Amino acid sequence: MAGKAGFVWYELTASGDVDAAAKFYGDVVGWDVRDAEMPGMKYLIFGKGGKDVGGIMSWKSIGMDNPSVWKAHIYTPDVDAEAEAVKRDGGTVHRPPQDIPNIGRFAVVSDPQGVEYMLFQPSREYAPPRLAQNEVGNVGWHELVTTDWEKAWDFYSKHYGWEKDFAMDMKEMGIYQTFRIDTDKYIGAMMTLPPDGSMGPARWTYYFQVEDVDAAVPKIEAGGGKVTLPPMDVPGGSRIVQAIDPQGGAFALVSTKS
């Protein structure tokens, strides 16, 4: 497709209670939460300062019983055409394009390495204000760990116009390739999973921006979550932590030094 296409919406599908999930993340990340008042299901919208970032729903609301999971929507001007293009290039369409009345049109797909994400084509009248990349409450980093980052890169750069930034040689862990989407600053990275399975399955991880990662750790634990990677400094002046929420959903936080 022509031009660059970035992430426009982040969605948690919770294994349990939606309100409990919203309270946990509201306490940890500092999000404001409101009910979208969608007919037939409970859908909560979260964000900060009047700017929406994403939504929270329950698997049970769509008749399923799966573990909690975070997914992101990538913008497309034509979700039907893009879903077909994903399939032609070795990806999979898990949920064909369908409308969200007065909001837009979406589909659930996966890349050729089997990592799921979503496509979103907004309706013309739907254009909510967005937080800047490093504003508290937004997703400050997008990390793909996969079976072959170079093949994944070929796919995403072809489909969404992403551009490589710097590559970091992590020795035995391989290359950590950062990328830019629609800003001058890199917004994420890709790497290949180690063959020993120590990093789990191929997946996208989304790092929510907070004021202070270390200060967020007690909030994670007090809310019933579990830290899986303690706070650590990373190149570029940021600090991260990875965790699991009380309903089993994996997430991460990042704080950026000014």
Side-chain angles (χ1 to χ4, degrees), residues 40-101:
M41 68 177 293
K42 187 162 195 173
Y43 192 90
L44 302 180
I45 294 176
F46 61 84
K48 199 168 182 66
K51 297 178 180 180
D52 298 339
V53 176
I56 303 174
M57 59 183 283
S58 167
W59 282 113
K60 293 180 176 60
S61 68
I62 54 175
M64 301 179 73
D65 184 17
N66 291 334
S68 293
V69 64
W70 279 99
K71 287 195 180 75
H73 295 68
I74 295 177
Y75 167 81
T76 176
D78 187 337
V79 71
D80 295 78
E82 176 58 15
E84 286 300 314
V86 166
K87 191 161 53 174
R88 280 197 307 272
D89 284 342
T92 303
V93 176
H94 300 283
R95 188 166 185 171
Q98 66 182 85
D99 291 327
I100 308 171

Side-chain angles (χ1 to χ4, degrees), residues 33-215:
V33 181
R34 73 178 192 277
D35 196 322
E37 299 181 354
M38 291 181 65
M41 68 177 293
K42 187 162 195 173
Y43 192 90
L44 302 180
I45 294 176
F46 61 84
K48 199 168 182 66
K51 297 178 180 180
D52 298 339
V53 176
I56 303 174
M57 59 183 283
S58 167
W59 282 113
K60 293 180 176 60
S61 68
I62 54 175
M64 301 179 73
D65 184 17
N66 291 334
S68 293
V69 64
W70 279 99
K71 287 195 180 75
H73 295 68
I74 295 177
Y75 167 81
T76 176
D78 187 337
V79 71
D80 295 78
E82 176 58 15
E84 286 300 314
V86 166
K87 191 161 53 174
R88 280 197 307 272
D89 284 342
T92 303
V93 176
H94 300 283
R95 188 166 185 171
Q98 66 182 85
D99 291 327
I100 308 171
N102 304 315
I103 301 296
R105 192 163 170 79
F106 81 101
V108 182
V109 301
S110 62
D111 65 29
Q113 282 74 45
V115 178
E116 284 193 21
Y117 64 100
M118 303 174 82
L119 300 170
F120 182 62
Q121 175 188 344
S123 58
R124 290 184 180 179
E125 64 272 19
Y126 185 71
R130 296 174 60 187
L131 292 168
Q133 177 187 344
N134 288 326
E135 280 191 85
V136 169
N138 200 8
V139 174
W141 194 249
H142 309 75
E143 185 177 78
L144 176 66
V145 291
T146 187
T147 53
D148 187 325
W149 81 260
E150 290 177 294
K151 288 182 179 178
W153 175 255
D154 290 343
F155 174 82
Y156 286 100
S157 60
K158 173 183 177 180
H159 281 255
Y160 309 115
W162 300 354
E163 297 179 358
K164 287 181 179 178
D165 206 288
F166 69 91
M168 186 186 312
D169 187 349
M170 299 195 300
K171 308 305 178 185
E172 67 273 7
M173 293 183 68
I175 298 297
Y176 192 72
Q177 177 65 60
T178 68
F179 61 87
R180 289 177 285 116
I181 298 179
D182 51 2
T183 65
D184 292 334
K185 186 176 175 62
Y186 44 83
I187 196 170
M190 298 181 183
M191 65 176 291
T192 297
L193 287 162
D196 61 7
S198 59
M199 290 184 65
R203 68 197 180 279
W204 278 105
T205 299
Y206 307 104
Y207 289 71
F208 305 119
Q209 192 85 28
V210 295
E211 291 281 2
D212 185 338
V213 155
D214 294 88

